[in-house]
Amino acid sequence: MMSQTIGIIGGGQLGRMLAIAASRLNFHTVILEPLDDCPAAQLTNHQIVKAYDDPTGLAELAGLCDFVTYEFENVPVAAAERLAKDVPVYPPPKALEVAQDRLIEKQFINGCGIETARFHAVDSQADLESALQDFGGKGVLKTRRLGYDGKGQRIYRSPADNPRSGYDALGGVPLILESFVDFEREISIIAARSVDGTVACYDPAENVHRNGILHTSTLPARISDETAEAAREAAEKILAALNYVGVIGIEFFVLADGSLIANEIAPRVHNSGHWTEAACVISQFEQHIRAIAGLPLGDPARHSDCVMQNLIGDDVLDVPDWLRRPNVLVHLYGKTESRPGRKMGHITQLL
């Protein structure tokens, strides 16, 4: 197969893992990333050390690549649109636009006929107080943009929580208040859509978070076949509505009756899909490369039950112990400095 070049915006661990998958299929990779010591720099063919929206860097990327993708959803939409004039960009910039704003995201998901938590836009302290009153004094206040891993959030657990400084406390930026959801568990589904519209879905994973950061993803999830099928159907609706190409991660709350409430979408390979590199023949990373390159999608079937666990901060010190255990895949991200809350790697244990 003739070698082509894939541009990846972002040089974190997801970009690193995409570069690994691309190299196995004889693709070259070019990373656009302002940090010259980023994890992906160790494994890519070339790095453009410029900001994600730098016109010179974008022009160089377009000139070097046959198509471009990205590893995180906060890529400037204008940058993706500029690139798309010169080179195919997958997933499409529209997916970025939807995923970057929690209000637009919720409205889009509802427009696909999929339920979400109730929500109110919050653009002032008065909006916040009115929204809290509607939700009985409870809810999760979030920044509409740029929040991740629990950042940019404030929780109101009862009317006794004082909301008088809530709007300013999160920076006085556009916010969204989401109602609490009484759920039994959290799941996510990793799905892929190719250029020709073919869709492949991995089995839903059951997720546990600690301090707002994913801790474990377990397969199989403790859900019915009907709930799993509902997750696949929701994924297919979202992919079709976006005319999507590539891998997407979609998070859900599972209610007591097995029905689903969509939480958020991530237009990229996703942390809760890392288990696929150990428990499937075709990982989510290779699936993404296949999708954006116009290659046939691989079989997403799971050959083993498993638990994927993130190594956060000093969890990386446990690696020697994990290496002694059977049926454990250890994947480190090439980061030299451990910090609280920083993802240093992950392990997947086959069961």
Side-chain angles (χ1 to χ4, degrees):
M1 186 168 66
M2 180 179 290
S3 178
Q4 292 180 298
T5 299
I6 299 174
I8 304 173
I9 303 177
Q13 64 261 20
L14 298 181
R16 176 187 175 98
M17 288 183 268
L18 286 171
I20 293 171
S23 68
R24 292 179 59 247
L25 293 177
N26 204 35
F27 290 99
H28 292 158
T29 52
V30 176
I31 302 290
L32 175 64
E33 166 61 53
L35 299 177
D36 59 8
D37 62 346
C38 64
Q42 302 165 13
L43 296 169
T44 190
N45 296 97
H46 178 63
Q47 181 182 357
I48 301 169
V49 186
K50 293 188 181 296
Y52 306 127
D53 58 354
D54 181 88
T56 304
L58 292 170
E60 183 179 354
L61 186 68
L64 290 173
C65 300
D66 295 284
F67 25 82
V68 172
T69 189
Y70 41 87
E71 64 134 20
F72 68 112
E73 59 265 47
N74 289 323
V75 173
V77 174
E81 291 174 340
R82 176 183 299 203
L83 279 169
K85 295 177 181 178
D86 300 316
V87 64
V89 175
Y90 302 127
K94 180 183 177 183
L96 286 174
E97 189 173 9
V98 168
Q100 285 179 3
D101 186 309
R102 286 189 171 92
L103 178 63
I104 294 173
E105 180 184 50
K106 288 285 191 297
Q107 293 169 337
F108 167 79
I109 293 172
N110 289 164
C112 292
I114 301 165
E115 287 193 47
T116 64
R118 295 173 60 204
F119 58 90
H120 284 294
V122 173
D123 294 307
S124 67
Q125 183 62 29
D127 285 348
L128 173 58
E129 293 175 9
S130 174
L132 281 168
Q133 185 174 15
D134 187 37
F135 293 163
K138 304 176 183 179
V140 183
L141 184 65
K142 303 178 181 180
T143 56
R144 282 172 53 178
R145 291 180 174 270
L146 299 179
Y148 66 96
D149 287 346
K151 298 178 175 66
Q153 297 186 15
R154 181 169 179 173
I155 299 176
Y156 294 91
R157 301 188 185 280
S158 75
D161 291 340
N162 189 342
R164 285 180 289 181
S165 62
Y167 180 71
D168 290 336
L170 288 183
V173 297
L175 306 174
I176 183 172
L177 184 73
E178 300 176 8
S179 66
F180 281 140
V181 176
D182 185 15
F183 62 92
E184 287 201 334
R185 56 187 48 89
E186 297 177 68
I187 66 168
S188 60
I189 191 165
I190 306 298
R193 186 174 184 269
S194 66
V195 175
D196 67 6
T198 302
V199 173
C201 296
Y202 291 92
D203 292 335
E206 181 170 341
N207 301 321
V208 174
H209 291 80
R210 289 184 179 175
N211 300 317
I213 302 174
L214 181 66
H215 176 55
T216 60
S217 294
T218 300
L219 279 293
R222 293 171 296 168
I223 57 175
S224 67
D225 291 344
E226 291 77 15
T227 298
E229 181 60 27
R232 286 189 283 269
E233 290 176 357
E236 290 181 4
K237 289 178 182 178
I238 289 169
L239 291 169
L242 291 171
N243 195 23
Y244 198 89
V245 175
V247 162
I248 194 170
I250 307 172
E251 298 178 350
F252 299 93
F253 299 121
V254 182
L255 307 187
D257 64 359
S259 61
L260 295 175
I261 296 290
N263 183 30
E264 63 181 29
I265 62 176
R268 53 173 171 79
V269 288
H270 194 257
N271 194 172
S272 69
H274 290 354
W275 63 271
T276 60
E277 69 177 345
C280 301
V281 173
I282 307 301
S283 72
Q284 66 164 339
F285 306 102
E286 180 174 330
Q287 196 79 293
H288 186 76
I289 298 301
R290 287 179 177 228
I292 67 175
L295 300 175
L297 296 183
D299 184 352
R302 185 182 87 252
H303 58 68
S304 300
D305 296 345
C306 64
V307 177
M308 187 284 300
Q309 179 179 320
N310 274 325
L311 301 177
I312 307 294
D314 286 344
D315 289 347
V316 73
L317 300 176
D318 297 330
V319 164
D321 180 54
W322 285 115
L323 290 172
R324 293 185 185 97
R325 302 188 190 189
N327 300 318
V328 173
L329 183 149
V330 176
H331 193 139
L332 302 178
Y333 300 155
K335 299 177 181 180
T336 57
E337 182 184 357
S338 171
R339 297 194 298 267
R342 192 182 198 196
K343 295 174 183 174
M344 302 299 294
H346 66 270
I347 64 96
T348 304
Q349 184 170 21
L350 302 184
L351 304 176

